[in-house]
Structures are given as C-alpha cells and as structure tokens.
Coordinates of all heavy atoms in Angstrom, one line a residue:
M1439 N 94.8 105.4 115.7 CA 94.9 104.0 115.6 C 93.9 103.4 116.6 O 93.6 104.0 117.7 CB 96.3 103.6 115.9 CG 97.4 104.0 115.0 SD 97.3 103.4 113.3 CE 97.6 101.7 113.4
K1440 N 93.4 102.2 116.3 CA 92.6 101.5 117.1 C 93.0 100.0 117.3 O 93.6 99.5 116.4 CB 91.1 101.4 116.5 CG 90.5 102.8 116.3 CD 89.9 103.4 117.5 CE 89.1 104.6 117.1 NZ 89.4 105.7 118.0
N1441 N 92.7 99.5 118.5 CA 92.8 98.1 118.8 C 91.5 97.5 118.4 O 90.5 97.8 119.1 CB 93.2 97.7 120.2 CG 94.6 98.0 120.5 OD1 95.5 97.7 119.7 ND2 94.9 98.7 121.6
L1442 N 91.4 96.8 117.4 CA 90.1 96.2 116.9 C 90.1 94.8 117.5 O 91.0 94.0 117.2 CB 90.1 96.1 115.3 CG 88.7 95.7 114.8 CD1 87.6 96.7 115.1 CD2 88.9 95.5 113.3
M1443 N 89.1 94.5 118.4 CA 88.9 93.3 119.0 C 88.0 92.5 118.3 O 86.8 92.8 118.1 CB 88.4 93.5 120.4 CG 89.2 94.3 121.4 SD 90.8 93.6 121.7 CE 90.3 92.2 122.7
C1444 N 88.5 91.3 117.7 CA 87.7 90.5 116.9 C 87.6 89.1 117.7 O 88.6 88.4 117.7 CB 88.3 90.2 115.5 SG 88.3 91.7 114.5
G1445 N 86.5 88.9 118.4 CA 86.6 87.8 119.3 C 87.4 88.2 120.4 O 87.3 89.3 121.0
A1446 N 88.4 87.4 120.8 CA 89.3 87.7 121.9 C 90.7 88.2 121.4 O 91.5 88.4 122.2 CB 89.5 86.4 122.7
M1447 N 90.8 88.4 120.1 CA 92.1 88.8 119.5 C 92.2 90.2 119.2 O 91.3 90.7 118.3 CB 92.3 87.9 118.3 CG 93.7 88.2 117.7 SD 94.0 87.2 116.2 CE 92.8 88.0 115.0
P1448 N 93.0 91.0 119.8 CA 93.2 92.4 119.4 C 94.1 92.5 118.2 O 95.1 91.9 118.1 CB 93.8 93.1 120.6 CG 94.7 92.0 121.2 CD 93.8 90.7 121.0
I1449 N 93.7 93.4 117.2 CA 94.6 93.7 116.1 C 94.6 95.2 115.9 O 93.6 95.9 116.2 CB 94.1 93.1 114.8 CG1 92.7 93.4 114.5 CG2 94.3 91.6 114.8 CD1 92.1 92.9 113.1
L1450 N 95.8 95.8 115.6 CA 96.0 97.2 115.5 C 95.6 97.6 114.0 O 96.3 97.1 113.1 CB 97.5 97.4 115.8 CG 97.9 99.0 115.9 CD1 97.1 99.7 116.9 CD2 99.4 99.1 116.1
V1451 N 94.7 98.6 113.9 CA 94.3 99.0 112.6 C 94.1 100.6 112.7 O 94.1 101.2 113.7 CB 92.9 98.4 112.3 CG1 93.0 96.9 112.1 CG2 91.8 98.8 113.3
T1452 N 94.0 101.2 111.5 CA 93.8 102.6 111.4 C 92.4 102.9 111.8 O 91.5 102.0 111.8 CB 94.1 103.1 110.1 OG1 93.3 102.5 109.1 CG2 95.6 102.9 109.7
D1453 N 92.1 104.2 112.2 CA 90.7 104.5 112.6 C 89.7 104.2 111.5 O 88.6 103.8 111.8 CB 90.6 106.0 113.0 CG 91.4 106.4 114.2 OD1 91.9 105.4 114.9 OD2 91.6 107.6 114.5
D1454 N 90.1 104.6 110.3 CA 89.1 104.4 109.1 C 88.8 102.9 108.9 O 87.6 102.6 108.6 CB 89.5 105.1 107.9 CG 90.8 104.5 107.3 OD1 91.6 104.0 108.1 OD2 91.0 104.8 106.0
V1455 N 89.8 102.1 109.0 CA 89.5 100.7 108.9 C 88.7 100.1 110.1 O 87.8 99.4 109.8 CB 90.9 99.8 108.9 CG1 90.7 98.3 109.1 CG2 91.6 100.1 107.6
A1456 N 88.9 100.6 111.3 CA 88.1 100.2 112.4 C 86.7 100.6 112.3 O 85.7 99.7 112.5 CB 88.6 100.7 113.8
H1457 N 86.4 101.8 111.8 CA 85.1 102.3 111.6 C 84.4 101.5 110.5 O 83.2 101.0 110.7 CB 85.1 103.8 111.2 CG 83.7 104.3 110.9 ND1 82.8 104.7 112.0 CD2 83.1 104.6 109.7 CE1 81.8 105.1 111.4 NE2 81.9 105.1 110.1
A1458 N 85.1 101.2 109.4 CA 84.5 100.4 108.3 C 84.1 99.0 108.8 O 83.0 98.5 108.4 CB 85.5 100.4 107.1
V1459 N 85.0 98.4 109.5 CA 84.8 97.0 110.0 C 83.6 97.0 110.9 O 82.6 96.1 110.8 CB 86.0 96.4 110.7 CG1 85.6 95.1 111.4 CG2 87.1 96.2 109.6
L1460 N 83.5 97.9 111.8 CA 82.4 98.0 112.8 C 81.0 98.2 112.0 O 80.0 97.5 112.3 CB 82.5 99.1 113.8 CG 83.6 98.8 114.9 CD1 83.8 100.0 115.7 CD2 83.3 97.6 115.7
Q1461 N 81.0 99.1 111.1 CA 79.8 99.4 110.3 C 79.4 98.1 109.5 O 78.2 97.8 109.5 CB 80.1 100.6 109.3 CG 80.2 101.9 110.0 CD 79.0 102.3 110.7 OE1 77.9 102.2 110.2 NE2 79.2 102.8 111.9
Y1462 N 80.3 97.4 108.8 CA 80.1 96.3 108.0 C 79.6 95.1 109.0 O 78.7 94.5 108.6 CB 81.4 95.9 107.3 CG 81.1 94.8 106.3 CD1 80.2 94.8 105.3 CD2 82.0 93.6 106.4 CE1 80.0 93.7 104.4 CE2 81.8 92.6 105.4 CZ 80.8 92.7 104.4 OH 80.6 91.6 103.6
T1463 N 80.2 95.0 110.1 CA 79.8 93.9 111.0 C 78.3 94.2 111.5 O 77.5 93.2 111.6 CB 80.7 93.9 112.3 OG1 82.1 93.6 111.8 CG2 80.3 92.8 113.3
A1464 N 78.0 95.4 111.8 CA 76.6 95.8 112.1 C 75.6 95.4 111.0 O 74.6 94.9 111.3 CB 76.5 97.2 112.5
L1465 N 76.0 95.7 109.8 CA 75.1 95.4 108.7 C 75.0 93.8 108.5 O 73.9 93.4 108.3 CB 75.7 96.0 107.4 CG 74.8 95.6 106.2 CD1 73.6 96.5 106.1 CD2 75.6 95.7 104.9
L1466 N 76.0 93.1 108.7 CA 76.0 91.7 108.6 C 75.1 91.1 109.7 O 74.2 90.2 109.4 CB 77.3 91.0 108.7 CG 78.3 91.3 107.5 CD1 79.7 90.8 107.8 CD2 77.8 90.6 106.2
A1467 N 75.1 91.7 110.9 CA 74.3 91.2 111.9 C 72.8 91.5 111.6 O 71.9 90.6 111.8 CB 74.7 91.9 113.2
Q1468 N 72.5 92.6 111.0 CA 71.1 93.0 110.6 C 70.5 92.0 109.6 O 69.3 91.7 109.7 CB 71.0 94.4 110.1 CG 71.3 95.5 111.1 CD 71.4 96.9 110.5 OE1 71.2 97.0 109.3 NE2 71.6 97.9 111.4
I1469 N 71.3 91.5 108.7 CA 70.8 90.6 107.8 C 71.2 89.2 108.0 O 70.9 88.3 107.2 CB 71.3 91.0 106.3 CG1 72.8 91.0 106.2 CG2 70.8 92.4 105.9 CD1 73.4 91.2 104.7
E1470 N 71.6 89.0 109.2 CA 72.0 87.6 109.6 C 72.9 86.9 108.7 O 72.7 85.8 108.2 CB 70.7 86.8 109.9 CG 69.9 87.4 111.0 CD 68.6 86.6 111.4 OE1 68.3 85.6 110.6 OE2 67.9 87.0 112.3
A1471 N 74.0 87.5 108.3 CA 75.0 87.0 107.4 C 76.3 87.0 108.0 O 76.5 87.5 109.1 CB 75.0 87.8 106.1
S1472 N 77.3 86.4 107.3 CA 78.7 86.4 107.8 C 79.6 86.6 106.6 O 79.2 86.5 105.5 CB 79.0 85.1 108.5 OG 78.9 84.0 107.6
D1473 N 80.9 87.0 106.9 CA 81.8 87.1 105.8 C 83.2 87.0 106.4 O 83.5 87.2 107.6 CB 81.7 88.6 105.3 CG 82.3 88.7 103.9 OD1 82.9 87.7 103.4 OD2 82.3 89.8 103.4
I1474 N 84.1 86.5 105.5 CA 85.5 86.4 105.9 C 86.2 87.6 105.3 O 86.1 87.8 104.0 CB 86.1 85.1 105.4 CG1 85.5 83.9 106.2 CG2 87.6 85.1 105.6 CD1 85.9 82.6 105.7
V1475 N 86.9 88.5 106.0 CA 87.5 89.7 105.6 C 89.0 89.7 105.9 O 89.4 89.3 107.0 CB 86.8 90.9 106.2 CG1 87.4 92.1 105.8 CG2 85.3 90.9 106.0
I1476 N 89.8 90.1 104.9 CA 91.2 90.3 105.2 C 91.4 91.7 105.5 O 91.2 92.6 104.7 CB 92.0 89.9 104.0 CG1 91.8 88.4 103.6 CG2 93.5 90.2 104.2 CD1 92.5 88.0 102.3
I1477 N 91.8 92.0 106.8 CA 91.9 93.4 107.3 C 93.4 93.8 107.3 O 94.2 93.1 107.8 CB 91.4 93.4 108.7 CG1 89.9 93.0 108.8 CG2 91.5 94.8 109.4 CD1 89.3 92.9 110.1
P1478 N 93.6 95.0 106.7 CA 95.0 95.6 106.8 C 95.3 96.0 108.2 O 94.5 96.7 108.9 CB 94.9 96.8 105.9 CG 93.4 97.1 105.8 CD 92.7 95.9 106.0
T1479 N 96.4 95.5 108.7 CA 96.7 95.7 110.1 C 98.2 96.2 110.2 O 98.9 96.3 109.2 CB 96.7 94.4 111.0 OG1 97.5 93.5 110.4 CG2 95.3 93.9 111.0
V1480 N 98.6 96.6 111.4 CA 99.9 97.1 111.7 C 100.5 96.3 112.9 O 99.8 96.2 113.8 CB 99.9 98.6 112.0 CG1 101.3 99.1 112.3 CG2 99.3 99.5 110.8
D1481 N 101.7 95.8 112.8 CA 102.2 95.1 113.9 C 102.8 96.2 114.9 O 102.8 97.4 114.6 CB 103.3 94.1 113.5 CG 104.6 94.6 112.8 OD1 104.8 95.9 113.1 OD2 105.3 93.9 112.2
N1482 N 103.4 95.7 116.0 CA 103.8 96.6 117.1 C 105.0 97.4 116.7 O 105.3 98.3 117.3 CB 104.1 95.7 118.3 CG 102.8 95.2 119.0 OD1 101.8 95.7 118.8 ND2 103.0 94.2 119.9
I1483 N 105.7 97.0 115.7 CA 106.9 97.7 115.2 C 106.5 98.6 114.2 O 107.3 99.6 113.9 CB 108.0 96.7 114.6 CG1 108.4 95.7 115.8 CG2 109.2 97.4 114.2 CD1 109.2 94.5 115.3
G1484 N 105.4 98.6 113.6 CA 104.9 99.6 112.5 C 104.9 99.0 111.2 O 104.5 99.8 110.2
F1485 N 105.1 97.7 111.0 CA 105.1 97.1 109.7 C 103.6 96.8 109.3 O 102.8 96.3 110.1 CB 106.0 95.9 109.6 CG 107.4 96.2 109.7 CD1 108.2 95.9 110.8 CD2 108.1 96.8 108.6 CE1 109.5 96.2 110.9 CE2 109.4 97.0 108.7 CZ 110.1 96.8 109.8
A1486 N 103.3 97.0 108.0 CA 102.0 96.7 107.5 C 101.8 95.1 107.5 O 102.8 94.4 107.2 CB 101.7 97.2 106.1
S1487 N 100.6 94.7 107.8 CA 100.4 93.2 107.8 C 98.9 93.0 107.4 O 98.3 94.0 107.1 CB 100.7 92.7 109.2 OG 100.5 91.3 109.2
E1488 N 98.4 91.8 107.4 CA 97.1 91.5 107.2 C 96.6 90.5 108.2 O 97.4 89.5 108.5 CB 96.8 91.0 105.7 CG 97.1 91.9 104.7 CD 96.9 91.4 103.3 OE1 97.0 90.2 103.1 OE2 96.6 92.2 102.4
T1489 N 95.3 90.6 108.6 CA 94.8 89.6 109.5 C 93.4 89.1 108.8 O 92.6 90.0 108.5 CB 94.5 90.1 110.9 OG1 95.8 90.6 111.4 CG2 94.0 89.1 111.8
T1490 N 93.1 87.9 108.7 CA 91.9 87.4 108.2 C 91.0 87.0 109.4 O 91.3 86.3 110.3 CB 92.2 86.1 107.4 OG1 93.1 86.4 106.4 CG2 90.8 85.6 106.7
V1491 N 89.8 87.6 109.3 CA 88.8 87.4 110.4 C 87.4 87.0 109.8 O 87.1 87.3 108.7 CB 88.6 88.7 111.3 CG1 89.9 89.0 111.9 CG2 88.0 89.8 110.5
L1492 N 86.7 86.3 110.6 CA 85.3 86.0 110.3 C 84.4 87.0 111.1 O 84.5 87.2 112.3 CB 84.9 84.6 110.9 CG 83.5 84.2 110.8 CD1 82.9 84.1 109.4 CD2 83.3 82.8 111.6
L1493 N 83.6 87.6 110.3 CA 82.7 88.6 110.9 C 81.3 87.9 110.8 O 80.9 87.6 109.6 CB 82.6 89.9 110.0 CG 84.0 90.7 110.0 CD1 83.8 91.9 109.1 CD2 84.5 91.0 111.4
A1494 N 80.7 87.7 112.0 CA 79.4 87.0 112.0 C 78.7 87.3 113.2 O 79.3 87.8 114.3 CB 79.7 85.4 111.9
V1495 N 77.4 87.0 113.2 CA 76.6 87.2 114.5 C 77.1 86.2 115.5 O 77.5 85.1 115.2 CB 75.1 86.7 114.2 CG1 74.3 86.7 115.4 CG2 74.5 87.7 113.1
G1496 N 77.3 86.8 116.7 CA 77.9 86.0 117.8 C 79.3 86.1 118.0 O 79.9 85.7 119.0
V1497 N 80.0 86.7 117.0 CA 81.5 87.0 117.2 C 81.5 88.4 117.6 O 81.3 89.4 116.8 CB 82.2 86.8 115.8 CG1 83.7 87.1 116.0 CG2 82.1 85.3 115.4
P1498 N 82.0 88.8 118.8 CA 82.1 90.1 119.2 C 83.1 90.9 118.5 O 84.3 90.3 118.3 CB 82.3 90.1 120.7 CG 82.9 88.7 121.0 CD 82.4 87.8 119.8
V1499 N 82.8 92.1 118.2 CA 83.8 93.0 117.5 C 83.7 94.3 118.2 O 82.6 94.9 118.4 CB 83.5 93.2 116.0 CG1 84.5 94.2 115.4 CG2 83.6 91.9 115.3
A1500 N 84.9 95.0 118.7 CA 84.9 96.3 119.3 C 86.2 97.0 118.9 O 87.1 96.4 118.5 CB 84.8 96.1 120.9
A1501 N 86.2 98.3 119.1 CA 87.3 99.1 118.8 C 87.6 100.0 120.0 O 86.7 100.6 120.5 CB 87.2 99.9 117.6
E1502 N 88.9 100.0 120.3 CA 89.3 100.9 121.5 C 90.6 101.7 121.0 O 91.3 101.3 120.1 CB 89.7 100.2 122.8 CG 90.9 99.2 122.5 CD 91.3 98.5 123.8 OE1 90.7 98.7 124.9 OE2 92.2 97.7 123.8
A1503 N 90.7 102.8 121.5 CA 91.9 103.7 121.2 C 93.2 103.0 121.5 O 93.3 102.4 122.5 CB 91.7 105.1 121.9
A1504 N 94.1 103.2 120.6 CA 95.4 102.6 120.7 C 96.5 103.8 121.0 O 96.1 104.9 120.6 CB 95.9 101.8 119.6
V1505 N 97.5 103.5 121.5 CA 98.6 104.5 121.9 C 99.5 104.8 120.7 O 100.3 105.6 120.8 CB 99.4 104.1 123.1 CG1 98.5 103.9 124.3 CG2 100.2 102.8 122.9
W1506 N 99.4 104.0 119.6 CA 100.3 104.1 118.5 C 99.8 105.0 117.3 O 99.8 104.7 116.2 CB 100.6 102.8 117.9 CG 101.3 101.9 118.9 CD1 102.6 102.0 119.2 CD2 100.7 100.8 119.5 NE1 102.8 100.9 120.2 CE2 101.7 100.2 120.4 CE3 99.4 100.2 119.6 CZ2 101.5 99.2 121.2 CZ3 99.2 99.2 120.3 CH2 100.3 98.6 121.2
D1507 N 99.3 106.2 117.7 CA 98.7 107.2 116.6 C 99.7 107.6 115.6 O 99.4 107.9 114.5 CB 98.1 108.4 117.3 CG 96.7 108.1 117.7 OD1 96.1 107.1 117.2 OD2 96.1 108.9 118.6
E1508 N 101.0 107.5 115.9 CA 102.0 108.0 115.0 C 102.1 107.0 113.8 O 102.7 107.3 112.7 CB 103.3 108.1 115.5 CG 104.0 106.8 116.1 CD 103.6 106.5 117.5 OE1 102.8 107.2 118.1 OE2 104.1 105.4 118.0
L1509 N 101.6 105.8 113.9 CA 101.6 104.8 112.8 C 100.3 105.0 111.9 O 100.2 104.3 110.9 CB 101.4 103.4 113.4 CG 102.7 102.9 114.3 CD1 102.4 101.6 114.8 CD2 104.0 103.1 113.6
E1510 N 99.5 105.9 112.2 CA 98.2 106.1 111.4 C 98.5 106.5 110.0 O 99.1 107.5 109.7 CB 97.4 107.2 112.1 CG 96.0 107.4 111.5 CD 95.0 106.5 111.9 OE1 95.0 105.9 112.9 OE2 94.0 106.3 111.1
E1511 N 97.9 105.7 109.1 CA 97.8 106.0 107.7 C 96.5 105.6 107.2 O 96.2 104.4 107.4 CB 98.9 105.3 106.9 CG 100.4 105.9 107.1 CD 101.4 105.3 106.1 OE1 101.0 104.9 105.0 OE2 102.5 105.2 106.5
K1512 N 95.7 106.4 106.6 CA 94.4 106.0 106.1 C 94.5 104.9 105.1 O 95.6 104.7 104.4 CB 93.7 107.2 105.4 CG 93.5 108.5 106.3 CD 92.4 108.2 107.3 CE 92.2 109.4 108.2 NZ 91.7 109.1 109.5
N1513 N 93.4 104.1 105.1 CA 93.3 103.0 104.1 C 92.0 103.1 103.3 O 91.2 102.2 103.5 CB 93.5 101.7 104.9 CG 93.9 100.6 104.0 OD1 93.4 100.4 102.9 ND2 94.8 99.7 104.6
P1514 N 91.9 104.0 102.4 CA 90.7 104.2 101.6 C 90.4 103.0 100.7 O 89.2 102.7 100.5 CB 90.9 105.5 100.8 CG 92.4 105.6 100.7 CD 93.0 105.0 101.9
T1515 N 91.4 102.2 100.3 CA 91.1 101.1 99.4 C 90.2 100.0 100.2 O 89.3 99.5 99.6 CB 92.4 100.5 98.8 OG1 93.1 101.5 98.2 CG2 92.2 99.3 97.9
F1516 N 90.7 99.7 101.4 CA 90.0 98.7 102.2 C 88.6 99.2 102.5 O 87.5 98.5 102.4 CB 90.7 98.5 103.5 CG 90.0 97.5 104.4 CD1 89.9 96.1 104.1 CD2 89.3 98.0 105.5 CE1 89.3 95.3 104.9 CE2 88.6 97.1 106.3 CZ 88.6 95.8 106.1
V1517 N 88.4 100.5 102.8 CA 87.1 101.1 103.3 C 86.2 101.0 102.1 O 85.1 100.6 102.2 CB 87.3 102.6 103.7 CG1 86.0 103.2 103.9 CG2 88.1 102.6 105.0
Q1518 N 86.7 101.3 100.9 CA 85.8 101.2 99.7 C 85.5 99.7 99.4 O 84.4 99.4 99.0 CB 86.6 101.8 98.5 CG 85.8 101.8 97.1 CD 84.6 102.6 97.3 OE1 84.5 103.6 97.9 NE2 83.5 102.2 96.6
E1519 N 86.4 98.8 99.6 CA 86.1 97.4 99.3 C 84.9 96.9 100.3 O 84.0 96.3 99.8 CB 87.3 96.5 99.7 CG 87.0 95.0 99.5 CD 88.2 94.2 99.9 OE1 89.4 94.6 99.9 OE2 87.9 93.1 100.4
L1520 N 84.9 97.3 101.5 CA 83.9 96.9 102.4 C 82.5 97.6 102.0 O 81.5 97.0 102.1 CB 84.2 97.3 103.8 CG 85.1 96.3 104.6 CD1 85.1 96.6 106.1 CD2 84.7 94.8 104.3
A1521 N 82.6 98.9 101.5 CA 81.5 99.6 101.1 C 80.8 98.9 99.9 O 79.7 98.8 99.7 CB 81.8 101.0 100.7
E1522 N 81.7 98.4 99.0 CA 81.2 97.6 97.8 C 80.6 96.3 98.1 O 79.7 95.8 97.4 CB 82.3 97.5 96.8 CG 82.8 98.8 96.2 CD 84.1 98.7 95.3 OE1 84.5 97.6 95.2 OE2 84.4 99.7 94.8
R1523 N 81.1 95.7 99.3 CA 80.5 94.4 99.7 C 79.1 94.6 100.4 O 78.3 93.6 100.5 CB 81.4 93.7 100.7 CG 82.6 93.2 100.2 CD 83.3 92.5 101.3 NE 84.7 92.0 100.9 CZ 85.3 91.1 101.5 NH1 84.8 90.5 102.6 NH2 86.5 90.7 101.1
T1524 N 78.8 95.8 100.8 CA 77.6 96.1 101.5 C 76.4 96.1 100.6 O 76.3 96.9 99.6 CB 77.7 97.5 102.2 OG1 78.8 97.5 103.1 CG2 76.4 97.8 103.0
P1525 N 75.5 95.2 100.8 CA 74.2 95.1 99.9 C 73.4 96.4 100.2 O 73.3 96.9 101.2 CB 73.6 93.9 100.4 CG 74.0 93.6 101.8 CD 75.5 94.1 101.8
P1526 N 72.6 96.8 99.1 CA 71.7 97.9 99.3 C 70.7 97.6 100.3 O 70.2 96.5 100.5 CB 71.2 98.2 97.9 CG 71.4 96.9 97.2 CD 72.6 96.2 97.8
R1527 N 70.3 98.6 101.1 CA 69.2 98.4 102.1 C 67.9 98.6 101.5 O 67.6 99.3 100.7 CB 69.4 99.5 103.2 CG 70.7 99.1 104.0 CD 70.8 100.1 105.1 NE 72.1 99.9 105.8 CZ 72.2 100.3 107.0 NH1 71.4 100.9 107.7 NH2 73.4 100.1 107.5

C-alpha cells in the first residue's frame, strides 16, 4: 500500500495504482497536459472508495510506503484504464 500525495492530500492506494498514477502524471507533464482521474482508494478502515484528482503540471504527486499492507489488493482494471489513456509516444 502507498500513501499517494496529490497536492497536499494523502490518499491510500495499492502499489500498482500508485505506480500507474505516477507514470501517467509523468507522461502528462512531458506533453504539458492535464487530466481528471477517479482513483480507487481505501479508507482507514479498509473499505473501498474513490477519490477524484486533477493531474497536471504544477500539482505535486508523490507516493510513500503505508503501514496498511494487509489491505493490498491489486487493481488491474484501473491500471489498464490509465494505460489506455496514455497517448503513443
């Protein structure tokens, strides 16, 4: 699990989701674009949730290890969705 920092707001996500968001954010920065993404998240109790974020140049995004690894469940659907949004290089 990772705490994904989007701006000043931490959200709890799975490792694969954090990696996909960071990769997508980097690509958006390279092409000077932005996107609104609904990210699958987990609350502190372990319930699935969603958080809508703006990914754009100037909005810092970072991931740090979280202590809730027992909540980890891969999210291949979301990862695939971001991959499909990624324009060819």
Side-chain angles (χ1 to χ4, degrees):
M1439 299 296 293
K1440 301 279 190 231
N1441 286 314
L1442 186 65
M1443 302 295 294
C1444 295
M1447 182 180 72
I1449 54 176
L1450 185 62
V1451 300
T1452 58
D1453 290 352
D1454 62 335
V1455 168
H1457 179 75
V1459 170
L1460 289 173
Q1461 293 296 318
Y1462 187 55
T1463 301
L1465 178 81
L1466 290 173
Q1468 290 173 1
I1469 62 173
E1470 297 180 354
S1472 62
D1473 197 2
I1474 295 173
V1475 178
I1476 300 172
I1477 299 175
T1479 59
V1480 179
D1481 68 16
N1482 290 343
I1483 301 171
F1485 290 106
S1487 185
E1488 293 180 334
T1489 302
T1490 304
V1491 299
L1492 169 66
L1493 301 177
V1495 175
V1497 178
V1499 178
E1502 66 177 356
V1505 296
W1506 298 285
D1507 276 342
E1508 65 275 2
L1509 301 177
E1510 179 85 21
E1511 288 187 27
K1512 299 285 184 211
N1513 199 319
T1515 304
F1516 175 78
V1517 173
Q1518 182 62 35
E1519 177 188 330
L1520 281 191
E1522 289 171 1
R1523 289 186 186 197
T1524 303
R1527 293 182 184 202

